[in-house]
Amino acid sequence: RALLELKEQQLRDPDRDALARYAEANRKLPPPEAGAPRVVFLGDSITDLWPLKEYFPPERDFVNRGISGQITGQMLGRMLADVIRLKPAAVVVLGGTNDIARGVEVETIKDNLTMIAQLAEANKIVPLFASLLPVSDYHKDKDPSYERTPARPPEVIRAINQWLQNFCREHNYVYVDYYSALADAGGMLGADLSDDGLHPNSKGYRLMAPVVQAAIDKVVRPPAPQRKRNPIWRMFGGDSSQQN
């Protein structure tokens, strides 16, 4: 009954894809600066809960456009407003775990991610696709809802990640392998990397950050480091821009 009520509410919702969430932020966001390529992170709660500025250099123009609870079809619906109009050089896409939990067909997930890639390329935006994260049941004693594997079977996660790897290889996209960084020996999300078996904690995000930054740097040139001015050099009339 609760599920039926939720689905009826979603059908009546005039903003199914939650476009209002970032509408004001998008209006206020200035255009990308020359020499500092913008990268949008498009995703669900795993992206939404990630304070990017705390994990990446301040000069990087990384824009978070994650929305908790979203499925890939909703991310596809946000491509124009939350990605294309922001004029990024690249977009990092992380989605699919909520689709699995809601029973969305795997082929539909693949179709949605494929269309996201096509929209990005059509607008000269480089798409990067992140693996689905592993899940675990290590914290279910703290809360029964933290038993994650029944709704998100590990074999389905691995199958989608295998498809993503092949998809990226075939189309020359960069595959962002969070899974390998976070999975323990049993293929589960490390007990110390999450507090609920689904979302990374700060330690988990610290492992993810260098993985995605290295992937981004393969396709987007990072901003040149600013040179420090030498006050003694300027005192004698020198041009600080000529320093080594």
Side-chain angles (χ1 to χ4, degrees):
R1 186 180 189 86
L3 180 60
L4 286 172
E5 290 177 356
L6 174 62
K7 289 187 176 298
E8 288 176 1
Q9 180 182 353
Q10 290 172 338
L11 289 172
R12 293 193 301 267
D13 189 348
D15 188 13
R16 185 205 69 159
D17 300 331
L19 294 169
R21 164 72 185 277
Y22 290 111
E24 184 64 21
N26 290 342
R27 282 192 289 270
K28 293 180 178 179
L29 189 69
E33 294 183 7
R38 174 168 292 162
V39 178
V40 172
F41 285 61
L42 180 70
D44 49 39
S45 57
I46 294 170
T47 300
D48 194 2
L49 298 172
W50 195 352
L52 299 180
K53 294 186 182 300
E54 297 179 15
Y55 289 82
F56 299 98
E59 67 270 15
R60 304 306 295 263
D61 187 1
F62 289 174
V63 179
N64 190 321
R65 288 297 179 264
I67 295 183
S68 297
Q70 285 210 326
I71 58 176
T72 54
Q74 292 171 304
M75 295 176 206
L76 174 59
R78 292 196 292 120
M79 274 294 291
L80 180 60
D82 287 350
V83 179
I84 295 168
R85 286 179 179 157
L86 306 187
K87 304 296 183 184
V91 57
V92 178
V93 182
L94 172 56
T97 190
N98 291 328
D99 299 64
I100 297 172
R102 296 186 198 175
V104 176
E105 294 288 339
V106 171
E107 288 304 313
T108 301
I109 301 172
K110 295 176 182 179
D111 288 348
N112 290 335
L113 295 175
T114 299
M115 290 193 68
I116 287 173
Q118 292 176 351
L119 278 171
E121 285 203 299
N123 288 276
K124 298 180 172 56
I125 300 168
V126 179
L128 299 88
F129 287 93
S131 68
L132 276 63
L133 273 61
V135 296
S136 74
D137 300 329
Y138 297 135
H139 304 282
K140 66 180 181 180
D141 291 341
K142 183 169 62 176
D143 186 329
S145 68
Y146 293 168
E147 186 177 10
R148 303 296 187 177
T149 57
R152 295 172 171 84
E155 62 271 18
V156 178
I157 291 174
R158 289 192 293 269
I160 292 176
N161 285 345
Q162 185 60 58
W163 174 83
L164 268 173
Q165 282 185 286
N166 294 335
F167 177 68
C168 290
R169 188 179 303 112
E170 291 169 6
H171 297 276
N172 200 29
Y173 302 145
V174 174
Y175 177 68
V176 186
D177 190 4
Y178 293 142
Y179 184 94
S180 296
L182 300 180
D184 62 16
M188 299 290 112
L189 179 58
D192 60 335
L193 304 180
S194 172
D195 300 322
D196 65 2
L198 177 62
H199 303 94
N201 55 24
S202 59
K203 185 174 181 179
Y205 282 127
R206 281 198 297 273
L207 292 179
M208 292 167 62
V211 174
V212 70
Q213 184 166 325
I216 291 169
D217 289 347
K218 290 180 180 179
V219 297
V220 174
R221 179 175 296 179
Q226 295 183 349
R227 295 177 177 179
K228 295 182 180 179
R229 295 181 178 274
N230 188 327
I232 296 177
W233 184 264
R234 290 202 308 274
M235 187 183 301
F236 290 95
D239 181 1
S240 61
S241 66
Q242 299 300 314
Q243 298 179 68
N244 293 326

